[in-house]
Amino acid sequence: MRFWLRNEEMALEEMVQRLNAASRRTDEIMHQDLTPLCAADIQDQLRKRFAYLSGGRGRDGSPVITFPDYPAFSDVPDKDFQSVMAYLTSIPSSQDAGIGFILVIDRRQDKWTSVKATILRIAASFPANLQLVLVLRPTGFFQRTLCDLAFKFNRDDFKMKVPVMMLSSVPELHGYIDKAQLTEDLGGTLDYCHTRWLCHRTAIESFAVMVKQTAHALQCFGTELAETELPNDVQSTSLVLSTHTEKKDRAKEDMRLAVGEGQSILEAIRGPLAKSTEQSPNQTQLDSQATVQRLLAQLQETEAAFDEFWAKHQQRLEQCLRLRHFEQDFREVKAALDALAQKIATFTDVGNSLAHVEHLLKDLASFEEKSGAAVERARALSLQGEQLIDDKHYAVDSIRPKCHELRHLCDQFVAEVGRRRGLLGKSLELHGLLEASMKWCDEGIYLLASQPVDKCQSQDGAEAALQEIEKFLETGAENKIPELSRIYQDYEPILTRDLMEHVQKVFQKQESMEEMFHRRQASLKKLAAKQTRPVQPVAPRPEALTKSPCPSPGIRRGSENSSSEGGALRRGPYRRAKSEMSESRQGRSGSAGEEEEGLAVLRRHVMNELLDTERAYVEELLCVLEGYAAEMENPLMAHLLSAGLQNKKDVLFGNMEEIYHFHNRIFLRELENYTDCPELVGRCFLERMEEFQIYEKYCQNKPRSESLWRQCSDCPFFQECQKKLDHKLSLDSYLLKPVQRITKYQLLLKEMLKYSKSCEGAEDLQEALSSILGILKAVNDSMHLIAITGYDGNLSQLGKLLMQGSFSVWTDHKRGHAKVKDLARFKPMQRHLFLHEKAVLFCKKREENGDGYEKAPSYSYKQSLNMMAVGITENVKGDLKKFEIWYNAREEVYIIQAPTPEIKAAWVSEIRKVLTSQLQACREASQHRALEQSQSLPLPAPSSTSPLKGNTRNVKKLEERKTDPLSLEGYVSSASLPKPPEKGKGWSRASHPLEAPADNDGWSSAEEPINSSDAEEEGRVGPWKLAPGKYTAVVDQDKGGPSMLAVRSGDVVEVVQEGDEGLWYVRNLTSSQESWVPAGSLSTLLSKSSSAQCLSSSDSSTGSALLSNSSSCSESCGGPLSDLQG
């Protein structure tokens, strides 16, 4: 920089000197160094023409100044006269002016007094040398005579050192000055126009001022350029260069205009001469031409000096700009190399499996490929810096260290990548050995497990099995890992603690497998070495068994009667068979362990498949995101995008990026931690089950993505991306990968569970499988849910979607019960039902035409039922697939026919759960209110017959037993009843009792709110309590067991007394049966009104249950389902 400033100062000083010299020469040319007076300053005085410089010359070259006849000469102020004289005498060159001026005074039409005054004024104030004064005296006789006499007597008064000649006529004047040097008014032939002369002089002097000002402006501009402080960034340096260049262009334009002005003046001077070839230019014209030419030369000199300075200045500015570019690129490249160095420093993982190491090598290769551009840019920048040095850049001392640093960083990065590749290569080699050893061990375990023990009892079978084992052991030399010490020595740089433990486990497994082989080999050798004589165990004859119940004496007697040799022959096979049977039992015991080893191998295979497919899945997602999604925002690919794809990346790819980050950063890494214990992998799924909800969002967006793909699948953008990725399949195949993957997990979990039923993690695997299936169900349900059209409300406010499916539906909008046979006459409607926690929706399914997701149906909303006002009847006579949903005290009844009994059972169970939770909530609220009321009243004497107390205990006991909250059995203690009642078929609740004593503490409607529109119409709304007496049953209750009380609607029952645990002893007077019945169940059976609402039909099956809620719930549920027809 100092060198640059020194050169800049030298260039500026040289230019300033040249421009100052040009300015001085301009003044010399215009003689303004002596008399700084211009025609423009005295233009008015010159225009009076009382004196002029015609350009004539005397015989010796003296300039001639003419004083024409000017009557008002005496009125010209002295100052104007002196200015004109000074200006006229400054025009000729110094050489001509040194000879002296000849003054021609024309006073032929004037008086002597005027002649005298003119001569006296000239003598007093003429500024230059005079050579001769020629006066044309007045032509009148009197004035001429007077002039001659007066001149003789007054000569001394003029005090002039030059002769003054009084001439009588013009011819006499021609004797002194040639007529060619005199103007026409003096009898000469000199062409002179005072106006033209004045115009030329003004133009020449203006041009001279322009030349001088141009030189001064260039000098100032050069100083400004030299003093400009150079910025430190590319943008500012570029701005300075462009600004200076713009100013230079303006200065050059001013010089071009000045040159044009000079050329125009020169042409104007030469113009009259060009028109008349006979007329020769006078000296003034020649001087004017010479002046203009010299001024043009000075202007060219000025321009040349500035151009030379600008060339140096521009060169340095461009060098500075190149330096700033180099520095900026250096900072960017260095930052990129530093980032690469930090990134490569994170590549510390050496892998935990062969596939993992291959994946890491692939990542390293990909990283090296992507970083290659940065390394190449760094090397290119280093060469660019060397080129700047070769071009003799002024900042060599700053450029050279940066070039060295770039080369060092590149070499260091390449060396580190090579080192990492070497380590991963070592890791790949080690994991290859470990994988080969594990595979060999697995094959060995398979071999042991595949050898049937029974066939190995024969010599041939044992020998064949022995040959298989020996042949297999021969392959160990290629597949076994060597000694641990050698492994530790050869692979020391990559042996982490985990990897070392893995090596030890593999080595231990290898040793264990070899030990198993040696044991099996020893056993087989023993079997192969035995005699091949067949052994036929003989059972004792029946006669011997009848004669002697104890076999021992018989054997002894037999042995005594036989020879010792025969006894030996009999004992030999018996003992050999016993020994073989003992060995067989040992073999079976060993086969159990081998079977477990076989299952472990199968689990490992499933785990390997899970990991391999997971890694492939992550790679495919990354490929799609980088190869398609990222390219949609690439400006270089924008021209290939169709209008329909603009800003549609989120529609096309959904939340695929979120899915990728979850699997790549979290799930895949956690799965790899279960490589050695695959039976525990269910825990990994359970811990991350919430994250799997992201697939629901992806699947919900899939129809939009499919639709967009069908519209734009022929877009050149997709074809170009597919070509770059070298994919055989189009994008839509890869967009289906997340859907395929989420369904693949449940298959893998089923396989893992199949081989892990006796392992520690079996329960986690089962729970994980159930959770994944639940997610698939939720995804499937949500796909149907988003297809609902016409619903004005917010579906999310209806609670969780529990079930959805298509059913046949019959409706009845009459009040009271309807017969099934009457309902069956009507044609059923096909409806798709959506069961939420708070409502059930009835929709009409509409199939759509098209391909793929275009075939997905849509659902037109028809009606909804608030679950707070819904009841069910589980079974309908005549069809096991039907059940009832009724609404508002059976004002509306919907008979639902499921496709299969299993689907019906699932729906009924789910609806019961919803209604049960609502009933439980109502009971808890009622108990809470009753407790608050009891706390505000005097406490009664403790009694075991308190219904409130008994009911509370029953509810608590119900929760503890975890029985069906709708069953009667849950309220009855079998230890306290002679005949414990069993489950009834259905429940109902009455609004009013037959008798309601005011002092009885029974359940009130406040405790058990019901929905009874009939009771409201009769105007008998109020609490009632159970009391001993006779009642009429309003609903049926079939006998579900030997201890249950069967009741039909219309039967007269007698409530005898209240017992413990909230039970009442009830006698059916119609059927003469009696039993203990819970108070809660009893309150639903009895009422004075036949219009009390029931919660199940009379034909409900054993174990069924139905619920209802308070009339306030029905009032808030909206209008009834009046029309389900589409």
Side-chain angles (χ1 to χ4, degrees), residues 985-1006:
K985 291 184 107 177
W987 283 12
S988 67
R989 295 189 214 133
S991 298
H992 313 285
L994 186 61
E995 299 176 0
D999 57 348
N1000 193 3
D1001 268 346
W1003 279 11
S1004 67
S1005 60

Side-chain angles (χ1 to χ4, degrees), residues 646-687:
Q646 296 293 337
N647 302 320
K648 292 295 182 62
K649 186 177 79 169
D650 293 339
V651 175
L652 186 61
F653 298 96
N655 61 331
M656 180 181 286
E657 185 174 358
E658 183 182 6
I659 294 175
Y660 165 74
H661 288 312
F662 163 64
H663 284 272
N664 182 53
R665 298 175 180 174
I666 300 175
F667 193 62
L668 176 58
R669 298 183 181 182
E670 293 183 358
L671 280 179
E672 291 171 345
N673 296 331
Y674 292 89
T675 304
D676 296 330
C677 46
E679 66 276 2
L680 302 180
V681 76
R683 299 174 183 175
C684 181
F685 281 89
L686 291 177
E687 290 172 357

Side-chain angles (χ1 to χ4, degrees), residues 524-799:
L524 292 175
K525 284 181 179 179
K526 290 179 181 180
L527 294 174
K530 294 182 180 293
Q531 298 179 3
T532 60
R533 181 175 179 177
V535 177
Q536 182 67 31
V538 179
R541 279 182 278 182
E543 298 82 356
L545 292 176
T546 56
K547 292 179 180 180
S548 177
C550 181
S552 298
I555 293 176
R556 285 196 297 271
R557 286 193 299 269
S559 63
E560 291 173 357
N561 297 328
S562 61
S563 63
S564 61
E565 182 179 358
L569 290 175
R570 286 194 296 269
R571 288 195 298 271
Y574 173 76
R575 292 176 180 173
R576 184 162 58 251
K578 184 176 181 181
S579 175
E580 290 178 358
M581 291 173 65
S582 175
E583 291 180 0
S584 176
R585 285 194 297 268
Q586 293 178 0
R588 285 195 296 271
S589 176
S591 66
E594 293 168 2
E595 181 180 359
E596 178 57 31
E597 286 290 339
L599 292 176
V601 172
L602 293 173
R603 289 194 296 269
R604 184 181 299 279
H605 284 317
V606 176
M607 190 66 193
N608 289 338
E609 182 182 0
L610 175 60
L611 286 173
D612 293 342
T613 54
E614 184 72 12
R615 294 187 184 108
Y617 174 56
V618 170
E619 288 292 332
E620 288 170 343
L621 292 182
L622 179 61
C623 189
V624 172
L625 291 173
E626 290 184 347
Y628 286 97
E631 290 297 316
M632 290 185 72
E633 298 177 352
N634 185 358
L636 300 179
M637 301 284 286
H639 65 285
L640 297 177
L641 284 174
S642 61
L645 283 173
Q646 296 293 337
N647 302 320
K648 292 295 182 62
K649 186 177 79 169
D650 293 339
V651 175
L652 186 61
F653 298 96
N655 61 331
M656 180 181 286
E657 185 174 358
E658 183 182 6
I659 294 175
Y660 165 74
H661 288 312
F662 163 64
H663 284 272
N664 182 53
R665 298 175 180 174
I666 300 175
F667 193 62
L668 176 58
R669 298 183 181 182
E670 293 183 358
L671 280 179
E672 291 171 345
N673 296 331
Y674 292 89
T675 304
D676 296 330
C677 46
E679 66 276 2
L680 302 180
V681 76
R683 299 174 183 175
C684 181
F685 281 89
L686 291 177
E687 290 172 357
R688 296 297 172 185
M689 199 55 63
E690 290 186 4
E691 280 87 341
F692 278 103
Q693 302 296 331
I694 57 179
Y695 280 91
E696 184 173 346
K697 180 179 178 182
Y698 185 85
C699 293
Q700 288 178 354
N701 180 70
K702 199 66 174 70
R704 299 174 61 207
S705 175
E706 286 283 328
S707 177
L708 180 61
W709 167 256
R710 280 190 300 275
Q711 296 173 13
C712 307
S713 59
D714 57 347
C715 178
F717 169 80
F718 295 122
Q719 300 172 5
E720 181 65 22
C721 292
Q722 183 177 352
K723 181 180 179 182
K724 286 183 179 180
L725 295 172
D726 195 21
H727 281 177
K728 295 181 180 179
L729 300 176
S730 56
L731 174 61
D732 59 326
S733 300
Y734 292 92
L735 293 177
L736 198 59
K737 293 292 183 181
V739 181
Q740 295 172 339
R741 187 59 184 171
I742 191 63
T743 57
K744 177 72 173 178
Y745 286 129
Q746 56 102 4
L747 299 177
L748 293 171
L749 286 173
K750 285 180 181 177
E751 285 295 311
M752 185 65 75
L753 182 60
K754 177 181 177 182
Y755 304 129
S756 309
K757 292 183 178 179
S758 61
C759 296
E760 176 186 352
E763 293 183 0
D764 292 334
L765 285 170
Q766 182 62 55
E767 186 177 353
L769 176 59
S770 300
S771 300
I772 286 291
L773 292 175
I775 288 177
L776 292 176
K777 178 183 177 301
V779 169
N780 183 57
D781 290 345
S782 66
M783 296 294 289
H784 289 274
L785 196 60
I786 62 175
I788 295 178
T789 59
Y791 184 75
D792 295 334
N794 188 352
L795 291 173
S796 62
Q797 295 179 354
L798 301 181

Side-chain angles (χ1 to χ4, degrees), residues 9 66 142 203 224 238 533 756 893 955 1041:
E9 291 174 357
T66 303
F142 176 75
E224 177 188 352
S238 300
R533 181 175 179 177
S756 309
V893 179
V955 173

Side-chain angles (χ1 to χ4, degrees), residues 482-497:
E483 298 179 355
L484 287 179
S485 58
R486 183 178 173 185
I487 292 291
Y488 295 158
Q489 180 180 359
D490 293 345
Y491 301 99
E492 181 182 2
I494 63 169
L495 281 178
T496 61
R497 173 182 289 182

Side-chain angles (χ1 to χ4, degrees), residues 86-232:
Y87 177 73
L88 293 178
T89 55
S90 67
I91 294 176
S93 63
S94 57
Q95 182 180 358
D96 293 342
I99 299 174
F101 287 89
I102 297 176
L103 304 182
V104 177
I105 303 172
D106 184 9
R107 292 292 182 268
R108 286 177 292 178
Q109 304 298 327
D110 212 338
K111 301 177 181 179
W112 159 248
T113 57
S114 177
V115 173
K116 181 179 179 180
T118 300
I119 294 174
L120 289 175
R121 176 174 283 188
I122 291 173
S125 58
F126 192 78
N129 296 331
L130 285 175
Q131 184 183 13
L132 180 64
V133 178
L134 301 175
V135 180
L136 288 174
R137 59 189 175 185
T139 55
F141 175 77
F142 176 75
Q143 290 297 332
R144 183 178 58 190
T145 303
L146 182 59
C147 183
D148 291 339
L149 293 175
F151 180 72
K152 290 180 182 179
F153 290 105
N154 296 313
R155 182 184 296 270
D156 296 336
D157 295 339
F158 298 144
K159 298 179 181 181
M160 297 184 68
K161 298 179 181 180
V162 295
V164 178
M165 304 300 297
M166 288 291 180
L167 303 178
S168 299
S169 62
V170 171
E172 205 175 328
L173 176 62
H174 294 166
Y176 291 93
I177 302 174
D178 191 274
K179 350 194 273 191
Q181 301 297 324
L182 294 174
T183 59
E184 293 180 356
D185 56 343
L186 295 177
T189 59
L190 182 63
D191 182 22
Y192 174 75
C193 176
H194 187 69
T195 302
R196 183 176 62 194
W197 175 86
L198 183 59
C199 181
H200 287 172
R201 287 301 303 175
T202 303
I204 292 173
E205 291 173 357
S206 176
F207 177 60
V209 171
M210 182 182 294
V211 171
K212 190 174 181 180
Q213 289 176 348
T214 301
H216 181 70
L218 292 179
Q219 181 178 346
C220 295
F221 180 46
T223 304
E224 177 188 352
L225 297 184
E227 293 177 353
T228 301
E229 184 177 355
L230 296 180
N232 293 324

Side-chain angles (χ1 to χ4, degrees), residues 947 993 995-997 999-1004 1024-1029 1031 1055 1058 1062-1064 1077-1084 1086:
E995 299 176 0
D999 57 348
N1000 193 3
D1001 268 346
W1003 279 11
S1004 67
W1024 71 283
K1025 301 179 181 179
L1026 283 174
Y1031 295 80
V1055 178
E1058 182 181 11
L1063 301 177
W1064 288 78
V1077 179
S1081 178
L1082 187 58
S1083 65
T1084 64
L1086 310 179

